[in-house]
Amino acid sequence: MNSPMKTNFWKALGPGIIWAAAAIGVSHLVQSTRAGADYGFQLVGVVILANILKYPFFQYGSRYAIATGESLIDGYRRMGKWVVALFLVLTIGTMFTIQAAVTSVTVGLISSVFHSPLSYVQITILLLLVCAIIVLIGHFKTLDRLIKFVVIILSLSTLTALVAAFMKSDVRTVIDNQVPFEFSVGNVAFLIALVGWMPSAIDISVWSSLWTLAKMKATGYRPSLKESLLDFNIGYIGTTFLSLAFLGLGAMVMFHSGESFANGGVQFSNQLLALYTRSIGEWSYPILAVAAIATMFSTTLTVLDAYPRVLTPILEVYTNKVESKSSENKLKFLWMAILITGAVLLISVFADQMKLLVDIATTLSFITAPVLAVLNLKAVTAAHVPSEYQPSRFMRLFSWFGIVVLSLFALYFLWLKMVG
């Protein structure tokens, strides 16, 4: 017989896993793998530091929703409509590039694995339509159930591949062949792109607050702060582990392989899977293919769900009215159609330049990160948030430390670009 504590935890479990599915994608499969392939294990500390520094700002999404029963968008509104307008500008400025980047990687993998006769753009449209149908017809419950299944497949597949790589390759050889990292413009640009989505863009803290509210509505259960943070921490720790796992795979399999990644999505995917299977064994191809496609499909799906979910309540802030359920669904459909159209247009232009598209998206996310971090901290420490739900003094100080570090690094990058 299940205890009440276990039953309640299962009711609370979900938003953190969906958050993880949104985070585990380009940052892991592409950027973490490139970090290992190009620099060996040298950037392990950078990946760990990025996950630690960003942790509070992602956590504040769930914390705020549980404390107030509102999303972070409502928290921004309480600071002033200009804050919501700022978030809207940042969102519209990045959403098409982000959706295009994650979709492009997914399409590249699908094309590589299934050798489809369809064109890159045709697969893009088909993929986004399938994701749209899942989101619009299934709503949150379908997303919640599907993502849990996908994340389990991803985790098991990645773990299997990682163990196989360490059994077959020599860690000492990788370490001995590492060349000390130099802070050149190119290397720093890659660091920015890596950290920009490591573990993800801070934007998804807002998505997390909305998913938390949707979970409460779907189950009729309002979890305690402890239960909600446990759900979030499971997802966050999982994303951190997988980012290191993909970096490890890149280092053990690709470092000093003599090959460099292609710019196109299909070529990149072919190289990725070929190098893994050549080093680990042909038997691993199905496992790696499933892991890679599951990774990117879950990211594409959650991103497509998130932006319409975020943009709809923003509109309510400026119309000063709460939309009916039918009107809300129509607005979500409209935003989704706009998002899909923009992503398809971008992919049609950058079809052969996937790496460039990814780097643009991740760099934009890094530059906007300090602004969103400040907004999240202000929201969760506002007077209307009950004191028992607010972060501790240590967490507040650590948050400001993270904001300073992210800001200085962004300014350093911009300075390098100007003088370079």
Side-chain angles (χ1 to χ4, degrees), residues 4 10 14 33 63 114 120 148 157 170 178 186 191 199 214-215 219 246 276 278 283 305 327 334-335 343 390-391:
W10 285 110
T33 306
R63 182 186 287 269
F114 295 106
Y120 204 84
K148 288 174 184 175
S157 302
D170 183 12
Q178 291 177 165
L191 281 183
K215 179 70 174 184
T219 60
F246 278 110
Y276 279 161
R278 191 159 63 239
W283 63 269
D305 171 82
S327 296
L334 176 62
W335 281 120
Q390 294 193 18

Side-chain angles (χ1 to χ4, degrees), residues 106-387:
T106 312
V107 172
L109 286 165
I110 292 172
S111 300
S112 174
V113 172
F114 295 106
H115 307 290
S116 172
L118 298 176
S119 70
Y120 204 84
V121 174
Q122 287 173 331
I123 298 175
T124 297
I125 294 171
L126 184 61
L127 171 66
L128 290 174
L129 287 178
V130 169
C131 290
I133 290 170
I134 293 173
V135 171
L136 292 172
I137 295 179
H139 301 295
F140 181 81
K141 286 185 178 180
T142 301
L143 180 69
D144 188 25
R145 292 168 184 166
L146 180 62
I147 290 304
K148 288 174 184 175
F149 175 70
V150 169
V151 169
I152 289 172
I153 293 176
L154 162 66
S155 301
L156 292 176
S157 302
T158 305
L159 182 61
T160 302
L162 183 64
V163 170
F166 272 90
M167 288 177 64
K168 191 162 185 176
S169 304
D170 183 12
V171 177
R172 176 51 57 186
T173 300
V174 175
I175 294 174
D176 288 344
N177 285 320
Q178 291 177 165
V179 177
F181 185 88
E182 294 183 2
F183 282 86
S184 63
V185 174
N187 284 350
V188 172
F190 176 74
L191 281 183
I192 294 292
L194 175 66
V195 175
W197 277 8
M198 184 53 60
S200 189
I202 292 182
D203 309 49
I204 72 171
S205 57
V206 179
W207 310 356
S208 179
S209 68
L210 288 161
W211 285 325
T212 299
L213 296 178
K215 179 70 174 184
M216 288 193 289
K217 184 177 181 180
T219 60
Y221 175 70
R222 183 169 183 168
S224 66
L225 179 62
K226 184 177 180 181
E227 290 168 340
S228 180
L229 292 186
L230 177 59
D231 166 57
F232 174 78
N233 288 337
I234 289 172
Y236 201 87
I237 292 170
T239 63
T240 303
F241 167 76
L242 287 172
S243 64
L244 294 171
F246 278 110
L247 187 150
L249 282 169
M252 298 301 293
V253 175
M254 301 181 192
F255 186 64
H256 267 234
S257 66
E259 294 191 41
S260 58
F261 281 123
N263 288 320
V266 178
Q267 298 92 328
F268 176 91
S269 302
N270 283 332
Q271 287 178 306
L272 181 70
L273 295 174
L275 282 170
Y276 279 161
T277 53
R278 191 159 63 239
S279 300
I280 300 173
E282 291 296 327
W283 63 269
S284 66
Y285 184 89
I287 295 173
L288 291 164
V290 168
I293 291 176
T295 299
M296 292 313 308
F297 178 78
S298 66
T299 304
T300 303
L301 179 64
T302 49
V303 171
L304 191 64
D305 171 82
Y307 278 116
R309 192 182 291 274
V310 166
L311 290 165
T312 299
I314 288 178
L315 186 62
E316 293 177 354
V317 171
Y318 287 96
T319 58
N320 293 316
K321 67 174 183 177
V322 177
E323 300 290 341
S324 65
K325 187 64 181 176
S326 60
S327 296
E328 186 177 300
N329 289 336
K330 289 178 182 177
L331 278 174
K332 284 183 180 178
F333 178 81
L334 176 62
W335 281 120
M336 193 171 293
I338 293 171
L339 179 59
I340 289 174
T341 302
V344 169
L345 288 174
L346 269 178
I347 289 174
S348 65
V349 174
F350 290 93
D352 296 324
Q353 297 176 296
M354 185 206 72
K355 281 204 302 181
L356 175 61
L357 188 62
V358 167
D359 286 344
I360 291 172
T362 51
T363 301
L364 285 173
S365 293
F366 184 89
I367 293 172
T368 59
V371 177
L372 293 170
V374 171
L375 294 181
N376 287 2
L377 178 59
K378 292 291 187 182
V380 83
T381 56
H384 69 279
V385 178
S387 57

